[in-house]
Amino acid sequence: MDLLSPYDLEEVKEVFRICCPTNERTVSQAHLGIMFSALGFDLESADIANCLEKIGISACDGPKYITSQEFIKIASIFISRRNPVEEMQKLFQLFDEDSSGTISLRNLKDLSREVGLNLNDATLKDMIRTADKDNDGVLSMREFHSVLRANGSIASHDQSYDFISDEG
């Protein structure tokens, strides 16, 4: 089994908890597509069936249920295939809605409103000021990466992002 970072493991466990009806300890294989969508994967049934078989579960034997440990094993297969640089760029682009190559106060304000966090300007400015190492009032890709590394969203030992330039 591929090892998951603590962040990825918590994400996978949370998806299982959300999809697990009435706190049962298993979920139907039929829910796997939805669960993987929640993890950011758009998978075909054949992809899921292939991974089930890799961990010793036949997808052809009718409706089956999988445990959280089995789901973690399956999820680790897909998560290990993620390209960390592409993931970082996608996340950065969510914030950089105007495609300026930076995250501005306006970007943070708009996104915080969209997700229901109506943070005041002073809080948002402080967030930028804390991460803005070159003091230009906006966050570059490299500064954004530093924030994620500092808060544990990516492993501090993960070298995959070290070559990210501010050109994107």
Side-chain angles (χ1 to χ4, degrees), residues 58-152:
S58 173
C60 301
D61 294 338
K64 292 248 177 154
Y65 291 85
I66 63 167
T67 66
S68 63
Q69 289 305 309
E70 290 167 332
F71 181 63
I72 290 168
K73 286 179 186 177
I74 298 165
S76 71
I77 293 168
F78 291 105
I79 290 172
S80 69
R81 295 178 188 166
R82 283 181 177 165
N83 179 324
V85 174
E86 285 178 16
E87 295 287 319
M88 172 66 72
Q89 289 170 336
K90 286 179 193 175
L91 185 58
F92 184 82
Q93 289 167 356
L94 285 176
F95 284 87
D96 180 22
E97 358 176 78
D98 57 3
S99 300
S100 65
T102 61
I103 299 171
S104 66
L105 176 62
R106 166 64 52 211
N107 296 142
L108 279 181
K109 189 184 296 189
D110 290 346
L111 190 62
S112 71
R113 252 189 255 125
E114 282 180 37
V115 298
L117 298 172
N118 291 316
L119 303 173
N120 63 41
D121 281 4
T123 300
L124 295 171
K125 285 178 184 175
D126 190 47
M127 291 168 75
I128 289 177
R129 190 174 20 259
T130 301
D132 183 16
K133 301 304 177 197
D134 61 5
N135 297 314
D136 62 355
V138 293
L139 300 182
S140 67
M141 174 75 85
R142 186 170 293 285
E143 291 165 332
F144 180 71
H145 166 252
S146 295
V147 169
L148 294 182
R149 185 175 271 179
N151 79 12

Side-chain angles (χ1 to χ4, degrees), residues 16-43:
F16 189 88
R17 276 191 292 269
I18 290 168
C19 294
C20 191
T22 64
N23 272 340
E24 295 175 19
R25 296 180 191 262
T26 61
V27 295
S28 167
Q29 288 179 16
H31 290 105
L32 289 177
I34 295 166
M35 295 168 75
F36 281 110
S37 290
L39 291 170
F41 296 100
D42 184 23
L43 301 175

